[in-house]
Amino acid sequence: MSFTSVSEVNLDSRILEILIKRGIKEFNPVQTEAINKGLLNGSRLLVTSPTGSGKTLIAELGMLTHLLSEGGKAIYVTPLRALTAEKYRELKDWESLGFRVGITSGDYDSDDAWLKNYDIIITTYEKLDSLWRRNPSWIKDVNYFVLDEFHYINDGTRGPVVETVAMRASGKKLLALSATISNFERISKWLNANAVITNWRPVPLKEGVIYPERKKFVVLYNDGTKIELAGQDPILSYVNYMIEAGGQVLVFRNSRKNAETTARKIASFLPIRKELQEISEKISEVDDAGSKEKDDLTSIVKSGVAYHHAGLSRSLREIIESEFIKRKIKVIVATPTLAAGVNLPARGVIIGDMYRFNGKILGFQEEISVMEYKQMSGRAGRPGFDKEGESIIVVRDKKDVEKKMKKYILSPPEPIESRLGNEVAFYSFILGTLSSEGKMTYDSLSDFAHGSLLDSKLIESYLRQGVTWLEENGFIQGDEDDLSLTKFGKRVADIYINPFSAKVFKDYLPGRDISCNVAYLHLMAYTPDGPRIGVGRKERDELLDYVPCPLFIEEPEDEDEEYNYLSALKIAMITNDWIEEIDDDVILEKYNIGSGDLRTIVDTMDWLSYSAYNVASILEEVEHHNVLRKLNMRIKDGVKEELLEIIKIPGIGRKRGRLLFTNNIRKPEDVVMNPEKVKNLLGTNLGEKIVKEAARLISGIT
């Protein structure tokens, strides 16, 4: 593997200048190989290499060289919003060359016309797919695509969209970046791309297992070396060993409860450090988190330990990530989602569980995939800090050592396969394709579908069934020589909900009397796009007893459907408490959820209520539309109907809105007419800002 001096590569002098400012003097072996395979000449490439091997710089070189030589626009696509924000910060450097860098995610019902003025656009796969459905004029100018974390094509949820985006980028310049892909020959051929395949890492990775032996724990590495650790718990023993060696540790556990319990346990064995008081205070001052979460974290973070999972608020996660990068927090105990979410390397990674919980299979557990293991273990080794990274699997029985070593450490990840092979994914694919193309013959639709990774026989089966189902349910019209979306189908495609979700609204709203808010919220949450949440056995009867009115959907007899029904009912109750202005802490405690869960539920139900009232409008269900429209307005900010006027002012949320309303300031005009009163209630600086915003709002209305 060779390194190449940046001065030896035929780069535009402007690119070279920025690289030198960054302190980049040479290209590493992965980057060198990409350049040799045609990166700077616009060749389509599939680059697979470990985490931290410099793939982002490869993308930057590819995009910038292309834009400087050929013009147009470049789109950088990621699977997660957190990654989108991270890449946006990194790519802002290139604005010094005169290129405008923009970011967009969420708000699927928009063509983002403002992006016509941007040259480099960072977005998510779902957002790009939604943009193609709306077909804005500027998207025709995009002639370079970077598909990051491309192995997400194997993900059951996001995979179909990643595959669709790759198909639609056919014929354009393309750079797919991925962790190791075992069947790269097939995937590179499918992408019509040159393959750049390497296992080079900037920090070598040493992998192993830890298992009990007598009264100690043995760490056996893949190079055959061993160390022995004293202690009563393998995770505690390894964490202590790594911290004493001056390293940081990421511990992965398979559930939030296990992550939290493990973090507290580790913290109890480590000394409190005075210099961490500042982090503790930052956590306690966060606005978007529950009191219980903050109290718990402020306690353990003083020992340099934190836990991290999707149940925490965004602000809490950002503080934990930032302080870990600064090397103040020494240990993070996380659920596996962290491995794919943000760039947080540590000297040591310990994977505490090789199983995940799955309520749909007997025993509630299934082994994690090799790819998931590779994602977690790939976080080991901090470039610039560590000469070597270590990744350790906890094996609780010595008899399983060889099995775990062989399956996870010595084996490649699972081959990438299409995830379009189910009705929900494929029918949505058909809908999106017709939305993008306008009109198609059945044969042209079939030709496009055969450009996927799915087996040809399955494509024909799903395509025939899908077109028939979409016609029967009013989404598409015409014959095999002239297929197009109906007005209903086009609206469903634009708002980016699954056709099966739209069918739920279409089946249950027409001809039904208006019901209470919980009934509508339950209907939304019951759709395939609705959020899912665990329901304990004790909760079942309590939930059913709380139902305040007849629901649109009757309780099913099927066990699986009953689970979805009760999950939707719990989501409906949570959302209803939210719009009734129940305090966040009360909601979190009552339903045993985290502040991050609440935010996710609110965001999803905001989108679904928007979708529902749009579907009701197309169906000309005026009364249902009016109820759903008002619900949508309330869900966004979590307010009663009486606050809808005052929260129109930017910067006024549920708490400030209630404070102003209680003091007889109930609409924007009241704010403008009572500036001193507003300042007294909200504070001088914020009050002045709110008065100005109210004045702008009024002038805009009038």
Side-chain angles (χ1 to χ4, degrees), residues 423 426-427 430 442 445 459-473 475-476:
E423 292 176 347
F426 202 91
Y427 295 8
I430 295 172
Y442 182 89
L445 180 60
I459 289 172
E460 286 303 323
S461 174
Y462 279 119
L463 187 61
R464 182 63 63 185
Q465 293 172 25
V467 168
T468 301
W469 186 90
L470 289 165
E471 283 180 331
E472 289 175 349
N473 287 281
F475 293 92
I476 64 177

Side-chain angles (χ1 to χ4, degrees), residues 481-492:
D481 294 324
D482 186 23
L483 292 173
S484 63
L485 297 184
T486 62
K487 184 179 179 182
F488 172 66
K490 179 57 178 169
R491 193 72 194 104
V492 169

Side-chain angles (χ1 to χ4, degrees), residues 446-467:
S446 176
D447 287 344
F448 183 73
H450 276 83
S452 73
L453 279 168
L454 197 61
D455 178 81
S456 293
K457 291 181 180 178
L458 285 176
I459 289 172
E460 286 303 323
S461 174
Y462 279 119
L463 187 61
R464 182 63 63 185
Q465 293 172 25
V467 168

Side-chain angles (χ1 to χ4, degrees), residues 70-212:
E70 298 188 29
K73 294 181 187 294
I75 282 189
Y76 192 113
V77 200
T78 83
L80 304 169
R81 289 190 190 183
L83 280 175
T84 301
E86 185 179 301
K87 298 305 175 185
Y88 175 68
R89 289 189 292 270
E90 292 177 20
L91 293 170
K92 288 289 280 184
D93 269 4
W94 301 105
E95 288 193 333
S96 62
L97 297 189
F99 294 117
R100 296 193 67 189
V101 180
I103 182 171
T104 181
S105 62
D107 190 12
Y108 298 127
D109 192 18
S110 169
D111 63 4
D112 286 357
W114 56 275
L115 287 172
K116 67 182 180 181
N117 298 316
Y118 288 79
D119 308 288
I120 300 172
I121 298 159
I122 303 97
T123 190
T124 61
Y125 285 99
E126 286 83 3
K127 177 62 178 180
L128 179 55
D129 186 33
S130 77
L131 285 167
W132 260 317
R133 293 181 179 205
R134 300 186 68 89
N135 214 6
S137 58
W138 62 264
I139 208 164
K140 296 179 179 65
D141 297 328
V142 178
N143 49 11
Y144 198 101
F145 292 87
V146 176
L147 310 185
D148 200 3
E149 304 287 338
F150 190 66
H151 50 271
Y152 263 82
I153 199 170
N154 244 17
D155 182 80
T157 302
R158 290 189 164 89
V161 182
V162 178
E163 188 170 349
T164 301
V165 166
M167 291 167 66
R168 297 204 68 82
S170 176
K172 306 285 187 180
K173 303 290 175 63
L174 178 139
L175 178 60
L177 307 175
S178 178
T180 303
I181 295 176
S182 58
N183 58 337
F184 67 87
E185 298 98 337
R186 181 191 178 203
I187 302 305
S188 58
K189 184 178 179 181
W190 174 64
L191 290 173
N192 189 28
N194 295 328
V196 177
I197 312 300
T198 174
N199 289 320
W200 181 87
R201 288 172 50 97
V203 179
L205 175 63
K206 196 174 181 180
E207 299 172 84
V209 297
I210 184 170
Y211 60 90

Side-chain angles (χ1 to χ4, degrees), residues 341-614:
V342 288
N343 185 23
L344 285 182
R347 183 182 299 182
V349 167
I350 185 160
I351 302 165
D353 312 277
M354 304 310 285
Y355 294 86
R356 74 158 69 83
F357 295 102
N358 186 339
K360 294 184 179 180
I361 64 173
L362 188 63
F364 301 99
Q365 289 187 342
E366 61 183 354
E367 282 193 306
I368 66 171
S369 67
V370 178
M371 177 63 83
E372 287 172 285
Y373 162 74
K374 300 293 185 187
Q375 284 288 97
M376 290 185 278
S377 64
R379 292 298 172 191
R382 302 163 301 176
F385 291 106
D386 301 321
K387 293 181 180 179
E388 188 175 62
E390 289 190 15
S391 173
I392 306 298
I393 297 170
V394 175
V395 179
R396 290 172 173 81
D397 190 326
K398 187 180 178 180
K399 292 183 293 184
D400 289 333
V401 167
E402 186 178 347
K403 178 183 174 184
K404 291 292 188 286
M405 288 278 282
K406 184 177 180 180
K407 175 170 182 177
Y408 291 105
I409 296 175
L410 304 177
S411 299
E414 298 78 9
I416 281 179
E417 304 290 345
S418 177
R419 291 293 179 260
L420 280 169
N422 62 76
E423 292 176 347
V424 171
F426 202 91
Y427 295 8
S428 185
F429 164 77
I430 295 172
L431 194 74
T433 303
L434 286 171
S435 181
S436 300
E437 298 300 319
K439 290 185 177 182
M440 300 180 80
T441 65
Y442 182 89
D443 288 343
S444 62
L445 180 60
S446 176
D447 287 344
F448 183 73
H450 276 83
S452 73
L453 279 168
L454 197 61
D455 178 81
S456 293
K457 291 181 180 178
L458 285 176
I459 289 172
E460 286 303 323
S461 174
Y462 279 119
L463 187 61
R464 182 63 63 185
Q465 293 172 25
V467 168
T468 301
W469 186 90
L470 289 165
E471 283 180 331
E472 289 175 349
N473 287 281
F475 293 92
I476 64 177
Q477 60 191 355
D479 55 33
E480 292 197 356
D481 294 324
D482 186 23
L483 292 173
S484 63
L485 297 184
T486 62
K487 184 179 179 182
F488 172 66
K490 179 57 178 169
R491 193 72 194 104
V492 169
D494 283 351
I495 56 182
Y496 206 68
I497 59 167
N498 192 282
F500 286 90
S501 292
K503 186 178 185 298
V504 170
F505 298 139
K506 190 179 181 186
D507 286 348
Y508 287 98
L509 289 178
R512 302 291 181 96
D513 292 335
I514 290 176
S515 191
C516 71
N517 289 334
V518 169
Y520 288 99
L521 296 170
H522 179 254
L523 184 69
M524 293 177 229
Y526 190 71
T527 66
D529 286 313
R532 292 290 177 263
I533 195 169
V535 179
R537 292 179 181 177
K538 293 181 180 179
E539 286 183 291
R540 181 190 179 281
D541 292 335
E542 292 177 359
L543 284 169
L544 293 172
D545 287 343
Y546 287 153
V547 176
C549 64
L551 303 178
F552 289 109
I553 301 169
E554 294 182 1
E555 186 178 356
E557 294 182 3
D558 179 82
E559 192 172 322
D560 286 341
E561 281 306 306
E562 184 185 41
Y563 174 81
N564 291 334
Y565 181 91
L566 292 172
S567 169
L569 186 54
K570 186 173 178 179
I571 294 291
M573 295 299 194
I574 291 169
T575 311
N576 194 60
D577 280 0
W578 168 253
I579 64 175
E580 289 300 319
E581 298 181 38
I582 303 299
D583 186 79
D584 291 18
D585 279 342
V586 174
I587 296 175
L588 302 185
E589 182 73 23
K590 180 179 177 182
Y591 297 102
N592 191 29
I593 59 174
S595 51
D597 298 318
L598 179 58
R599 189 69 256 165
T600 298
I601 289 167
V602 168
D603 288 346
T604 307
M605 294 299 281
D606 178 26
W607 168 54
L608 284 171
S609 58
Y610 175 84
S611 302
Y613 86 69
N614 273 275

